[in-house]
Amino acid sequence: MRDPCTVLQSIPGFSKARVISRLSAGPTNDSYELEQGSERFVLRVDKAEAARLGLDRGAEKEVCELLASEGLGFAPLWFDTKGGIYLRRFLPGKTWTHRDLHRVENLARLARLLRRLHDLPLVGKPFEPLQAASRYAKQLGTVEAAQIFAELAHRHSQIEDVPPALCHNDLVCGNILEGRELMLIDWEYAGTGDPFFDLAVVVQHHGLGAGLARHLLGAYLGKAAGETEIRRLAAQCRFYESLLKLWCLRTGS
């Protein structure tokens, strides 16, 4: 683990910033809340796993800059893509919980935000979950991992190709922030892909039942979902279920 105070010495204008707390300690990075004067910031420092898991910080930077230009996030203040150091302004607010995603009014708000995201220009790079899963399985090198990947690959084959959109691709509740307005954070897996994958993460990861899934889908589409859309979401949910199994096995989470 790299010392954040040492890292700050390499960022112009932030050598005297004070580390208030560690916000998170994930498999790919550590994040810290900073204070400088009357302002607060977030510093993210990569671990070696970020590279091993195939994260592309250059593509993430491109996405973050577009989001800032569209009012969907703050522009990076410092982004060392090779060194794995990212500094941005602190976004005050409360991250959502599973319970928040089981409220129909919140699902409608999230659906509207996703429509804005998915209508943005295509930047970054293609999100290739099957390719990432293959990497995880090979790194694990176990029979269990191979079996999960085989299941995952089969489920992926049942998903039809659709025009890509810019997607978040990691829409777990902890990446949804309730502040002055609803915002998404942590864009390290963002890229172009199937927008229904974003919807599937919301549904499958948080155990939304059929009724809530249809409500989210209808709010996203702006009309009652048809059988084609329902099948498409169900296929992505099955795929994400297998992907999550492999991810948890790979990261030990």
Side-chain angles (χ1 to χ4, degrees), residues 12 15 28 30 41-42 74 78 91 108 112 162 179 190 223 234 236 250:
S15 61
T28 63
D30 291 312
F41 306 88
V42 174
F74 285 145
W78 181 262
L91 293 172
R112 290 193 293 270
V162 296
K223 62 180 182 179
Q236 282 286 9
R250 172 63 181 78

Side-chain angles (χ1 to χ4, degrees), residues 194-225:
D194 188 338
F196 271 46
F197 182 85
D198 270 347
L199 300 176
V201 175
V202 175
V203 171
Q204 188 67 32
H205 195 92
H206 306 96
L208 302 190
L212 288 175
R214 288 195 180 215
H215 184 85
L216 173 66
L217 187 52
Y220 176 81
L221 296 170
K223 62 180 182 179

Side-chain angles (χ1 to χ4, degrees), residues 1-5 7-8 19 21-34 41-50 55 57 83-88 186 188:
M1 181 176 69
R2 288 185 284 175
D3 174 47
C5 294
V7 170
L8 286 170
V19 177
S21 65
R22 185 161 67 177
L23 295 172
S24 63
T28 63
N29 63 78
D30 291 312
S31 293
Y32 304 88
E33 182 181 354
L34 311 178
F41 306 88
V42 174
L43 173 70
R44 189 186 71 195
V45 182
D46 276 356
K47 299 176 180 176
E49 279 290 83
L55 296 181
R57 296 310 191 194
I85 302 169
Y86 172 34
L87 179 73
R88 65 168 173 82
D186 292 350
E188 61 184 356

